[in-house]
Amino acid sequence: MSIGEYLLFSDEKLTEPFEQVEGNITIEGVDFDCTCVMLQSKWGNYGKFNGEKLELEHFIKRYQNYSFEIVDELYGYNQVLYSGYLSILETEDLVQMDISIYFTGKIIYDTKE
């Protein structure tokens, strides 16, 4: 299962001019019963908003032309939580998004560098 394009931050890139690394993430052995996507506020605004929680399969079917900028990563035992911004290529809006995935395989980072 591939979650699409991402922008990966690494310690080496956190010095000026703050370069971002583009690439793809492939996660093997995803348990689709234990995954979800939380769409939050546009542009990460504070205050009230109408969010949406989706099963990962429904998210993948609904959004086929997107990129996801990862701002934060959290790892646990066979779990990963990516937080960042969803960019839907047909619109100019960014939506704050979390994706929580339970998996049994490997995480493969394929960078474009």
Side-chain angles (χ1 to χ4, degrees):
M1 193 233 50
S2 176
I3 64 169
E5 278 195 43
Y6 70 94
L7 299 173
L8 175 68
F9 294 96
S10 70
D11 292 338
E12 298 168 4
K13 303 295 180 180
L14 292 179
T15 58
E16 289 189 41
F18 305 110
E19 295 178 46
Q20 298 175 343
V21 179
E22 292 187 39
N24 291 296
I25 298 174
T26 301
I27 301 175
E28 299 175 341
V30 172
D31 182 346
F32 284 93
D33 291 331
C34 299
T35 63
C36 70
V37 174
M38 298 285 288
L39 300 175
Q40 300 171 37
S41 62
K42 288 186 179 178
W43 300 99
N45 291 331
Y46 289 97
K48 293 183 181 183
F49 62 90
N50 289 324
E52 186 174 8
K53 182 177 180 179
L54 299 168
E55 293 176 340
L56 182 58
E57 286 181 295
H58 291 137
F59 172 82
I60 292 169
K61 288 176 185 173
R62 183 187 296 177
Y63 299 103
Q64 297 181 7
N65 200 15
Y66 71 91
S67 65
F68 180 52
E69 180 179 349
I70 296 172
V71 177
D72 196 17
E73 302 167 289
L74 179 65
Y75 297 93
Y77 181 73
N78 290 347
Q79 297 179 46
V80 63
L81 173 68
Y82 294 116
S83 297
Y85 292 93
L86 172 67
S87 174
I88 303 164
L89 301 182
E90 294 84 31
T91 71
E92 294 185 20
D93 289 331
L94 291 176
V95 177
Q96 188 172 0
M97 183 179 112
D98 291 334
I99 181 170
S100 175
I101 300 172
Y102 184 85
F103 64 99
T104 57
K106 298 177 185 174
I107 299 176
I108 301 165
Y109 293 90
D110 182 21
T111 61
K112 293 184 180 180
E113 288 189 326

